[in-house]
Amino acid sequence: MAALIVTLPATALHRVAVIPAQISDLYGSLWKGRAVLSGGYSLDWEVRSRSLLLARGVVDWTLQGGDTQLTGVASVTPWALEAETVVGRAGPGLMGLIPGLALKNCTSRAVVDLQSLSWREGRAAAAGVVSVEAGNCEDLLGRAASVPQMTLDLTTQGNDARGLLRDRDSVLAELTVTGDRRVIGRVEPEGAVLVPGMPTGGPIIIEYPF
């Protein structure tokens, strides 16, 4: 049954899911295909056929564009989600794919080296680092906003996955995905000053279940 499903054309996704507006075209099949994205980007994927025999979907993928080249492996089972060996460079144009951002026309690039991101019932895990170079952005009124050199370190603590964003001098923000299905975000005043309109009087903590 799984083998039959993945041979369907990629356009069959229109019948079973809401396709994001950032995807303009779909080509190929669910087995091996391409999504054309806004801004000149594309996402290519190919399912490893042998993985289906183990009731596991393993997909090799590549996201690329003029300023971006990222590759990785995603795997899905009825009980787990995992991304492995996500490596490459991510350009500032990718931010244009995210609606509602308070910043635009950014120049910073990032180098991505993620060994793993995973979720299993009762446990989240992460390992890797994303290095962001210094640059500039504009806010929605066209005012310049500086972006410092930053590092996002991803680690695992117990049953939780943790991401810590730092510049050279201080912690800017922290994001935790817990094993008991909560996402907890904390933005320090040093990080809030980088986002136009965000209060800077003290830490901002946001928590919600999923």
Side-chain angles (χ1 to χ4, degrees):
M1 182 65 176
L4 177 61
I5 291 174
V6 295
T7 59
L8 291 172
T11 52
L13 290 172
H14 286 286
R15 305 172 193 167
V16 297
V18 177
I19 304 300
Q22 294 88 337
I23 297 178
S24 58
D25 283 301
L26 290 167
Y27 297 100
S29 66
L30 298 185
W31 185 287
K32 181 178 181 180
R34 166 175 289 191
V36 179
L37 310 178
S38 304
Y41 297 99
S42 64
L43 176 65
D44 295 271
W45 69 86
E46 183 172 1
V47 178
R48 297 184 186 178
S49 56
R50 184 170 297 181
S51 68
L52 299 178
L53 300 176
L54 304 174
R56 182 185 185 200
V58 179
V59 181
D60 296 290
W61 59 266
T62 300
L63 175 63
Q64 58 189 334
D67 59 6
T68 295
Q69 180 75 27
L70 288 170
T71 62
V73 180
S75 60
V76 181
T77 70
W79 51 85
L81 299 171
E82 187 170 7
E84 298 178 292
T85 57
V86 180
V87 296
R89 54 184 173 82
L94 288 178
M95 295 181 67
L97 299 177
I98 306 173
L101 288 182
L103 297 171
K104 61 180 181 178
N105 297 330
C106 295
T107 62
S108 296
R109 303 173 186 271
V111 176
V112 180
D113 185 9
L114 303 182
Q115 287 80 56
S116 65
L117 296 170
S118 64
W119 166 259
R120 292 175 173 82
E121 190 62 40
R123 187 173 192 270
V129 63
V130 179
S131 301
V132 181
E133 67 181 19
N136 296 285
C137 294
E138 295 179 0
D139 66 17
L140 298 181
L141 297 178
R143 297 172 298 194
S146 297
V147 177
Q149 180 178 330
M150 299 180 291
T151 301
L152 175 63
D153 289 302
L154 299 173
T155 58
T156 303
Q157 295 186 342
N159 291 325
D160 303 337
R162 182 185 185 219
L164 198 63
L165 183 66
R166 303 174 178 267
D167 63 9
R168 292 178 177 176
D169 302 315
S170 56
V171 174
L172 303 177
E174 180 179 349
L175 182 69
T176 301
V177 179
T178 70
D180 58 358
R181 303 177 69 95
R182 291 177 297 139
V183 176
I184 304 170
R186 178 185 174 105
V187 181
E188 303 294 342
E190 294 85 352
V193 300
L194 303 176
V195 183
M198 183 171 285
T200 58
I204 299 172
I205 300 175
I206 302 172
E207 179 178 340
Y208 60 90
F210 66 94

